[in-house]
Amino acid sequence: MTKFDALRRLIPCFYPTPTNSIATITPTKKRLSTSLRDDLDDPITITNQAQDKDSQDSTNTTDLETTTLAPARPSRSMVIGTIFGQRKGHVWFCIQHDRLSTKPSLLLELPIPTHQLVQEMRCGIVRIALECDHSELSACPLHSVPLWTMYCNGRKIGFATKRKASHHNLLMLKTMQSTTVGAGVIPAGFGSSGSEEIMYMRANYEHVVGDADSESFHLVNPDECTGQELSVFLMRSR
């Protein structure tokens, strides 16, 4: 035995035989690959779970956007509107939610003369727009605004004023309690000896509330009468 062979017997770890090395390493690699396959999740399951999560997140986002961006629906109701005025005076506009109640929910004195409104109504379409400034009356409800700028069919007429119902107004409304739709003339001397005759038109109006800064009243024509369009708009400009 040479000295070199004796050294190899003393320190075999530095010179392993090729056959033993292969036999030892091969099972280790096999066990390692098997262990990795067992520890890893199924890739198909992971993909499906990710798709389901993305779909759920997309649905939740769509629902949130729909809820956020959906515009508020306007409120609609039916009210009784009365337009009246002396022949040589100005027009008044009165709104009542109940014809049996003589107290109006809104009473405005308009700057347009009665005869001029009659002429406008002969054309078939009347649009009255009442505007107020948002900067000065932002916290005031529309029915409490004291002064309005009035436009009739696009032309500026003057300023409309909110009024408190007088004894004469309440007496006139009480007289018309039984009338829901109709037009006529109240003879002179009604309520007082010096009063003039009063022309009036009473009808149902559709009340549309857009938001805190816009409302409108639209005349509802009876079934047998068509052609007359009359709308009153209350708007707070920004």
Side-chain angles (χ1 to χ4, degrees), residues 77-156:
S77 60
M78 297 300 294
V79 297
I80 297 176
T82 306
I83 295 177
F84 64 93
Q86 298 178 354
R87 288 184 180 274
K88 298 180 181 180
H90 292 92
V91 174
W92 293 62
F93 181 62
C94 174
I95 290 295
Q96 296 171 272
H97 288 278
D98 184 2
R99 66 181 179 85
L100 299 179
S101 176
T102 58
K103 184 178 180 180
S105 59
L106 179 65
L107 182 62
L108 298 173
E109 183 180 3
L110 308 181
I112 185 171
T114 304
H115 66 86
Q116 183 178 345
L117 181 62
V118 172
Q119 292 176 358
E120 295 285 350
M121 294 181 67
R122 287 174 181 172
C123 299
I125 299 176
V126 177
R127 291 188 175 91
I128 297 174
L130 303 175
E131 295 185 358
C132 67
D133 190 1
H134 185 275
S135 60
E136 297 179 359
L137 300 168
S138 59
C140 182
L142 287 182
H143 287 197
S144 300
V145 173
L147 193 66
W148 299 85
T149 302
M150 176 178 166
Y151 299 85
C152 182
N153 287 343
R155 299 189 304 273
K156 185 177 179 179

Side-chain angles (χ1 to χ4, degrees), residues 27-39:
T28 304
K29 289 184 178 180
K30 185 176 181 181
R31 287 196 298 271
L32 178 60
S33 60
T34 305
S35 176
L36 287 175
R37 285 199 304 269
D38 294 338
D39 293 341

